[in-house]
Amino acid sequence: MKTHYDVVVIGSGLGGLVSAIIMAKEGFSVCVLEKNNQFGGNLQTFVRDKTIFDTGIHYIGGLSEGQNLYKYFKYIGIMDELKLKQLDVDGFDIISFEDHPTEYPHAQGYENFVEKLTNFFPEEKQNIQNYCQKVIETCNSFPLYNLEHEGSYNSDILSVNAKQFIDEVTNNEKLRAVLAGTNFLYAGIEEKSPFYVHALSVNSYIQSSYRCINGGSQITKQLIKQLKKFGGEIYKYKEVIKFESIENDVTIAQMKDGSSVEATHFISNIEPKTTLKMVGEDKFRKSYFSRIQSLESVFSAFSLYIVFKPESFEYLNHNIYHFKNSNEVWKAHQYTEDNWPKAYMASMNASNKSDKWADGMTFLTYMKFDELQIWEHTHNTTAEKNFRGENYEEFKARKAEKFLQEIEIKFPNIRSCIQSIHTSTPLSYRDYIGGHRGNMYGYEKDCNNPMKTFIAPKTKLNNLYLTGQSINMHGVLGVTIGAVVTCSEIIGKEYLVNKINAETK
């Protein structure tokens, strides 16, 4: 490791790695610093009983040829190397309710999406079409979403409430719940979540939906391969704890092990609140520092990872968003000890072993970080058993059993298929991914005060930039676009977008 680089990237999540590759492709000397054992942030996978599970990448949209994420991944050199399995075209996501046996599909392709839902709501075809048109129009309002450097959106679009808009599309209560049924993708909040977040989250999946065969960590491997191809360097166990600066320029990143590195540009892919503290409160306007520190994190999750006995549970080539009833679609995070969980998302890894049988299944539901408050002071990134004490293990076991009882209502025979069960809590997401209070998707976006939750990629300091899921948008596509936005601040948006388009024709 050298003592000076053109660009130092802190954090090896998707945003950091994409930023690093873009800058390395432009001829900058680049170094990525990661504090943990694994690279990749939300792209990480782990293995239990020889079964691969994803930490955060359960499926990806917009990856068919010519679509937006396809072009971005093509540009950074990883598209042709990914091993993917397309989800069911006629129902990649299934919305279901405990109080009703019908399963409602979200299909790939907008015409197909309309057709499949119209089969269940024959009187609502025009309303479903209107909903789709508004999703498309909203996404088209963001130039970089479609690899355009020119254009602007009406700022009023940021103030449209997702639930309110969907409620205005139709008076059919069930259809409202079905259209909003994947709001776990952005941790939807009834009174806050903007419709543009909903639109940007669902649009790419409707275009096309894929799973990564044997997990999303293959994306990390390909990103690192490309980074090294262009001369970039990457190091683990390098936790940056402080930035030193002179006047309005960051000069040095100081690491926990006592080493340090200088750079012309610094890109932080770690939590923005932490980044600002590492620079020092005195380097920012008081109002800006206070605003960032006051931002609310989205909810965290409790996850159940089930390893199946061989050839016992059939593979499902779709995801499931399940609710106790249609009234809970926007209220699943408002639970009590007695009625938890009120909803969950279920997904499987695609495997190259078998198309008929599943080797494992992941179930995610909301969990408040406050439930883990008594263990908040503990930190663990090595999956060491009993690290947080017996009480923590008992807490997880109790929650797992309660969750499993709820899952059994939809999958009555699942318990007999189980070989082993594993869990993760908001503390796991905090320690392995680095999100504030273990959040899944960064900070809440608020349609009532959109500028309060806006974080620009360029900070007040001349050479400090931000990237990651809290900047721009979360998700694989959102974070990738965010990295392009961040790098555009250094090398120019028009130049970079034109180059991406030219290389992906």
Side-chain angles (χ1 to χ4, degrees), residues 22-23 25-28 75 144 147-150 484 487-488 490-503:
I22 292 172
M23 300 307 293
K25 282 190 71 170
E26 291 300 313
F28 291 81
Y75 168 71
L144 275 176
L147 272 164
E148 298 171 355
H149 61 79
E150 293 182 343
V484 171
C487 293
S488 295
I490 301 173
I491 60 180
K493 182 165 71 173
E494 182 176 354
Y495 166 81
L496 182 54
V497 172
N498 286 341
K499 188 168 185 181
I500 295 170
N501 281 319
E503 291 188 18

Side-chain angles (χ1 to χ4, degrees), residues 51-85:
T51 301
I52 298 171
F53 291 98
D54 274 298
T55 300
I57 306 300
H58 302 291
Y59 61 136
I60 310 174
L63 275 182
S64 288
E65 188 169 357
Q67 293 175 354
N68 48 13
L69 189 58
Y70 176 94
K71 289 184 177 180
Y72 281 115
F73 275 9
K74 191 81 172 176
Y75 168 71
I76 58 179
I78 68 171
M79 188 63 231
D80 294 341
E81 303 301 321
L82 298 182
K83 296 177 175 60
L84 305 167
K85 181 179 180 64

